[in-house]
Structures are given as structure tokens and as C-alpha cells.
Amino acid sequence: MKAQITWVLLFLVAPLMAQDFQGKAIYQSKTSVDIQLNGKGISDAQKEQIMESMKKSMEKSFELTFDRSGSIYQEEERLGTPGAAQSGVTLVIAGSDQGKYYKNVQTQTYVNETDMFGKLFLVTDSLQPWDWKLTSETKKIGNYTCYKATAIKKPDTTLVRRLKRLDKNQDNEMAKDSVAQDSTANNSLLSRIEKPKDQLITAWYTPEIPISQGPGPYWGLPGLILEVTTERTAILCSKLILNPDKKEAVEPPAKGKKVSQAEYDEILSKKMEEMQERWQSNSHRKDGQSFSIEIKG
């Protein structure tokens, strides 16, 4: 009986290991954050539109196209949300667009096509290794039996340094204005942002698709990852297609300035400092609209 079961499993897995094997997974991603919007010269209706736009920006759909060694993860195209634009307020939530994220689990490298304020970069570096703890706990996701695995993600030290630098710039600006210094002495940038901490990553993978791929930076398990959850974010596979009739090239993107992750982080840090300076300059104007957004999480 055991030999028969083994034969059946090999029969099912064999097509997945074919030379031209390819698949596509659609993931729904949702991130929850604590948002506080403060401002002047902006109506309640405008604030409501901005809040709704931000919430929708935290709900995205991604597609992962993969073969035995490589994968491309990118956001599915969707219609923009007109709310903030119609309100007369320009809302910029982030300065970069991830674009295509290619990773190769054999060479353990990634290439991230990123648009930073209209300039295209190719962030090329080594994949982050995950110290997965495998468990025997299972559950069904669609028709697939999945196993639970966990890992701990350490805080992004680059982000911490960036926040400290922005906070220092803000303190220097306050020192030039004694009134602002008195009224906001205990309201620095770092004091308003939840400090980075260790995160528990929970993944569910299926050995029925024995490739070491997953959404975004997640990889390294003995099966395709169909679900990932962190403290604030949930990523769930909603559709899976194996060996589609129309094959797509699973190759790294090639357009953009090639930089390492450290180089890219430094460029982004400087751009964020420039935006912070412009924001502080605009906030001192007596006329016009201004608002601040506080996000925790």
C-alpha cells in the first residue's frame, strides 16, 4: 500500500518538475495601520477622502509568475482612486513604486525594479535567508494541504537610521523657531512613530507544489508559500494556475540604474530628507492648506 501511495505522489509531482514547468499565483495583500490625520484649511469631507484613499492603498493584488528556480512578483494593474485628487489635495504616500521583484532561489539573488520619484532603479542584491521553523500543523488553502512554518524578522536598521536622521533635521529646524520649539518639544518625528521591533512571520506552504518560492521576499520552504501573515499584513493566494497554455518569460528586469540595496536605501534617505525640508518650509506658510499624517505600524 505504501509503495502505491508513493507511486501516486511521484506521478502527481512529475509534471511540476518538467523542464518547461511554470505557474502563476494571485495574492491578495491587506495591511492594517493606525492612522491619525491632523491639518488646517482642509474640510472634513477632504479628510475623509484622504483617509479612504490611504486605506484602499493598503489593499493590493499581486501576481507571482514562477518556474522551478525564478519568479516575478508584481502588483496587478488597477484603476486609481480619484478621491484625494478631486478634493484638491495631492497625496503622496510613498516615494517609490516596487515594480517587478525578481528572485532566483538557486543563485539566492534578487532584482527589484523600483521607480523612485520618476527615476528607475534596479536594486540587485542577495536574498535574505529565512530561519524557518517547520511544524506539523496543517490546513487547507483551496485544494491544497498546507503546512505551517514560522520565522522571526529583525528590525530594518536602515529604517531606524533614516528616522533618526529625519528626526535630527526636524530638531534643528525647531531650534530656529523658539515658538515651534516650545509647542512641539515632545512631538518629534521619532516620538510619533512606533519603534521597529522583531516580527513573527507565519507562512503556510504546500509540498504538493515542491518549489521554494513565495510572494515578495519570502522563500526557502519545501513548497510554494500560499499564505503569509505578520502583525499588520496578511497575504493570501486567491488563485493558482499551473502550466498555463500561455507561458511568460521568468527573467530579471533589465531597465534602470543598477544599485545595491544599501546604495538604494541611501539615495531614498536623502530624497526623504529633501521632502521633509520642503514640508517643514511649507508648514510655516500662513495661507493655504496643510496637514500631517501619523501612522503607527
Side-chain angles (χ1 to χ4, degrees), residues 250-264:
V250 183
E251 299 174 346
K255 294 182 180 180
K257 181 180 179 181
K258 187 175 180 179
V259 294
S260 68
Q261 187 66 61
E263 291 171 334
Y264 176 81

Side-chain angles (χ1 to χ4, degrees), residues 213-248:
Q213 289 285 354
Y218 302 107
W219 67 288
L221 285 168
L224 179 65
I225 300 173
L226 297 185
E227 180 179 331
V228 177
T229 57
T230 67
E231 181 180 359
R232 299 280 185 175
T233 301
I235 305 173
L236 177 63
C237 180
S238 59
K239 185 178 181 181
L240 185 59
I241 304 171
L242 298 179
N243 287 317
D245 294 333
K246 184 179 179 181
K247 297 289 195 301
E248 299 180 27

Side-chain angles (χ1 to χ4, degrees), residues 1 10 37 39 71 78 83 100 106 122 135 156 160 196 200 232 236 239 241-242 258 270 273:
M1 184 64 179
L10 289 174
L37 181 62
S71 68
R78 65 175 182 177
K100 293 181 179 179
Q106 288 187 351
L122 282 177
T135 76
D156 185 350
V160 174
L200 175 65
R232 299 280 185 175
L236 177 63
K239 185 178 181 181
I241 304 171
L242 298 179
K258 187 175 180 179
K270 291 180 179 179
E273 288 178 24

Side-chain angles (χ1 to χ4, degrees), residues 79-235:
L79 295 177
T81 304
Q86 291 177 352
S87 69
V89 177
T90 301
L91 177 62
V92 179
I93 296 177
S96 62
D97 179 13
Q98 177 173 297
K100 293 181 179 179
Y101 183 89
Y102 170 87
K103 63 177 180 286
N104 188 305
V105 297
Q106 288 187 351
T107 61
Q108 298 188 16
T109 57
Y110 69 88
V111 180
N112 187 7
E113 179 189 83
T114 302
D115 185 315
M116 185 197 301
F117 299 104
K119 186 173 182 179
L120 203 60
F121 289 88
L122 282 177
V123 184
T124 305
D125 222 310
S126 299
L127 283 171
Q128 172 186 336
W130 295 97
D131 185 17
W132 295 110
K133 307 300 182 185
L134 307 185
T135 76
S136 59
E137 186 176 346
T138 65
K139 73 173 181 178
K140 282 281 190 178
I141 298 180
N143 296 323
Y144 297 93
T145 299
C146 296
Y147 289 81
K148 180 180 178 180
T150 61
I152 298 296
K153 181 180 180 181
K154 295 296 182 180
D156 185 350
T157 55
T158 302
L159 174 61
V160 174
R161 290 196 301 268
R162 187 182 305 155
L163 292 176
K164 287 182 177 179
R165 186 181 300 177
L166 290 174
D167 195 48
K168 181 178 180 180
N169 289 346
Q170 186 182 59
D171 289 341
N172 292 337
E173 184 68 21
M174 289 179 181
K176 300 176 183 178
D177 188 340
S178 59
V179 176
Q181 188 177 20
D182 292 340
S183 62
T184 59
N186 296 320
N187 195 31
S188 67
L189 181 65
L190 279 179
S191 68
R192 302 197 308 269
I193 298 178
E194 186 175 309
K195 302 301 185 294
K197 58 184 179 181
D198 289 357
Q199 287 191 64
L200 175 65
I201 310 297
T202 301
W204 294 88
Y205 67 96
T206 176
E208 296 171 33
I209 307 176
I211 62 169
S212 186
Q213 289 285 354
Y218 302 107
W219 67 288
L221 285 168
L224 179 65
I225 300 173
L226 297 185
E227 180 179 331
V228 177
T229 57
T230 67
E231 181 180 359
R232 299 280 185 175
T233 301
I235 305 173

